[in-house]
Amino acid sequence: MSDKRYLVLTELYLPTKGGTAVWFDEVYRRLGGKGTHVLTAQVPGGDAHDREHPNAIHRLDLSDHSWMRPASLPKYLRFFLRGVTLGMKNDFEAVHAGRVLPEGLCAWAIARLIRRPVVIYAHGEEITNWQRSPRRLKAMRFAYRHADTVVANSDFTREQLLGLGVDPGRITIINPGVDIERFHPGYPVDDLRAAIGMKDGQRLILSVGRLNRRKGFDHVITSLPRLRERGIDAHHAIIGIGEEEAYLRETAEAHGVADRVHLLGHVEPQDLPRWYCAADVFAMPNRQIGRDTEGFGMVYIEAGACGTPAIAGNAGGTGSAVVDGQTGLRVDGEDVDAITDALYRILSDPAFANELVQAALQRARKELSWEQVARKTLALGEGPGSLPAKDANHVS
């Protein structure tokens, strides 16, 4: 797509799990060859991942040292020192940071030394969570305010940035994307449904994400007996790992649906789009827990690209991922009755479900493919706010 040369700092990067890690791998591999250098964390499987990568990947030990104050100081030093070294040896056009801390603060310092613009990504969750720490809040506000461009992943995140005093002219909204070559309808799925004991006439609700209470998987489980009372016999498959696994199992037992709830953990990468296709509806009715909320939700876009209607909560930035009533439904993630009603509406009305699917498919293919996201990133240019927020998601 381009021969641009970027220095990219991102602690989260494949093969680390998570949407942010996928985002930066997918975009920067499309924005240049070995002239783009990525500084990221040493993780198991990293060497194998990097071997055939089009970019130059540098793996750093980014572990904390508990005896230091702050414990994260080694991360900052390693990012900064390696970044400055690469910046002196390479003619980069810009420095991009995957998050505000530690990457953004380091990227700002590096960019000023090598006299290049700096772009910092904002995802939403870090802003709401880190405001509890005065030290982090001060550093976060400084980095965002001094960046040439801040990329917000949703309208919600943009509002959070404005609340920190970031110049609106420096903010650009770019939604995360989806690999439409990988995530698409039409995969064979009968073996997956059979593997969890599904029978003819039963429906499958799928959830994908970290087993964290704010994702709302517990309320989907709670809705299963209510759906059955209304004539919908549904199974619930959950892909992901996390701290709430025991709680979700207990919830399923308590509501008498343990035989209908399937905690699948991680699945093989080639099977993830098949699970989306196997489902009748995708559900992650997120809610805010304390300050912890959802900044966007790439899983909704993946579901839509596979032809599966999605249900999201109305907390955080999910409105940029699921357009309520058009590409899916958004509900109060605190309200089990509202979640049940949304599930019932989609599962009982094939025509309505198909309307949602067609709109979600069209949006994924036209606006949210990784090729489109890369083009929007390329259009950031070298000056502050060079791609206005109102136009960032409508590049033709």
Side-chain angles (χ1 to χ4, degrees):
M1 179 177 287
S2 80
D3 57 358
K4 293 274 189 178
R5 299 164 63 88
Y6 299 103
L7 175 61
V8 182
L9 282 65
T10 177
E11 185 175 0
L12 302 176
Y13 198 69
L14 291 182
T16 298
K17 303 290 184 182
T20 301
V22 171
W23 186 349
F24 293 110
D25 185 278
E26 292 284 0
V27 166
Y28 289 96
R29 67 167 55 244
R30 290 171 166 81
L31 292 183
K34 294 299 182 182
T36 287
H37 291 248
V38 180
L39 295 183
T40 188
Q42 262 178 12
V43 294
D47 291 342
H49 168 269
D50 302 343
R51 200 166 293 127
E52 303 298 328
H53 204 283
N55 302 140
I57 314 297
H58 306 265
R59 297 280 174 178
L60 309 178
D61 177 5
L62 297 179
S63 55
D64 289 341
H65 288 219
S66 58
W67 50 272
M68 281 190 175
R69 290 293 180 271
S72 59
L73 181 61
K75 291 183 183 181
Y76 287 85
L77 290 175
R78 287 170 181 140
F79 265 134
F80 176 74
L81 293 174
R82 182 64 71 88
V84 168
T85 299
L86 288 171
M88 295 299 183
K89 293 180 179 179
N90 297 272
D91 186 20
F92 295 121
E93 296 178 58
V95 183
H96 289 197
R99 292 179 305 179
V100 63
L101 299 176
E103 301 98 304
L105 201 57
C106 295
W108 169 81
I110 295 164
R112 294 301 172 256
L113 281 174
I114 65 174
R115 298 180 180 275
R116 291 294 182 269
V118 60
V119 174
I120 300 176
Y121 285 79
H123 306 276
E125 298 99 326
E126 75 278 44
I127 301 176
T128 56
N129 275 323
W130 292 348
Q131 288 192 45
R132 290 175 290 187
S133 165
R135 177 175 57 82
R136 281 188 169 184
L137 176 59
K138 183 178 180 180
M140 180 168 59
R141 183 182 286 120
F142 177 90
Y144 281 139
R145 288 179 175 181
H146 287 80
D148 295 288
T149 301
V150 181
V151 174
N153 67 344
S154 66
D155 295 310
F156 167 80
T157 300
R158 183 178 186 273
E159 292 302 313
Q160 297 297 310
L161 290 166
L162 293 175
L164 292 176
V166 180
D167 180 351
R170 295 176 182 267
I171 303 172
T172 294
I173 297 176
I174 301 180
N175 300 143
V178 62
D179 182 353
I180 58 176
E181 298 299 319
R182 179 184 172 209
F183 293 93
H184 59 78
Y187 282 100
V189 300
D190 289 347
D191 60 318
L192 298 181
R193 293 170 69 98
I196 58 174
M198 291 189 65
K199 299 176 182 178
D200 290 344
Q202 293 180 327
R203 315 304 294 280
L204 178 58
I205 303 167
L206 178 69
S207 299
V208 179
R210 184 163 186 82
L211 306 187
N212 178 305
R213 203 165 298 203
R214 74 167 164 85
K215 300 290 186 179
F217 303 155
D218 54 342
H219 287 177
V220 177
I221 293 171
T222 303
S223 75
L224 294 181
R226 304 183 187 203
L227 286 171
R228 193 162 192 174
E229 290 174 0
R230 297 167 73 171
I232 303 290
D233 186 5
H235 285 244
H236 184 201
I238 306 173
I239 295 173
I241 62 172
E243 62 277 10
E244 298 289 359
E245 179 176 350
Y247 164 70
L248 293 176
R249 293 189 187 280
E250 290 166 4
T251 302
E253 290 281 356
H255 288 84
V257 291
D259 62 329
R260 294 291 195 274
V261 176
H262 313 278
L263 297 173
L264 304 178
H266 286 315
V267 301
E268 293 298 321
Q270 66 270 20
D271 284 338
L272 180 57
R274 294 211 301 135
W275 277 108
Y276 281 121
C277 289
D280 297 289
V281 61
F282 176 82
M284 192 174 83
N286 60 293
R287 61 189 189 266
Q288 185 163 322
I289 304 291
R291 292 183 178 270
D292 192 15
T293 194
E294 192 74 30
F296 179 78
M298 286 169 55
V299 289
Y300 304 115
I301 305 301
E302 292 174 350
C306 290
T308 302
I311 294 172
N314 56 19
T318 61
S320 294
V322 176
V323 183
D324 187 33
Q326 297 181 36
T327 67
L329 295 176
R330 296 180 76 211
V331 300
D332 181 355
E334 299 278 3
D335 187 341
V336 177
D337 287 334
I339 294 167
T340 304
D341 288 343
L343 288 167
Y344 181 80
R345 185 180 180 191
I346 289 176
L347 292 174
S348 65
D349 189 342
F352 175 66
N354 187 59
E355 289 177 9
L356 299 178
V357 164
Q358 295 307 314
L361 277 170
Q362 183 178 27
R363 183 171 184 239
R365 291 167 177 171
K366 287 190 172 183
E367 298 180 32
L368 297 172
S369 70
W370 285 123
E371 286 72 20
Q372 288 294 329
V373 176
R375 290 183 65 237
K376 296 167 191 175
T377 307
L378 183 64
L380 290 172
E382 299 181 3
S386 60
L387 184 62
K390 62 185 175 61
D391 297 327
N393 291 308
H394 303 283
V395 177
S396 60

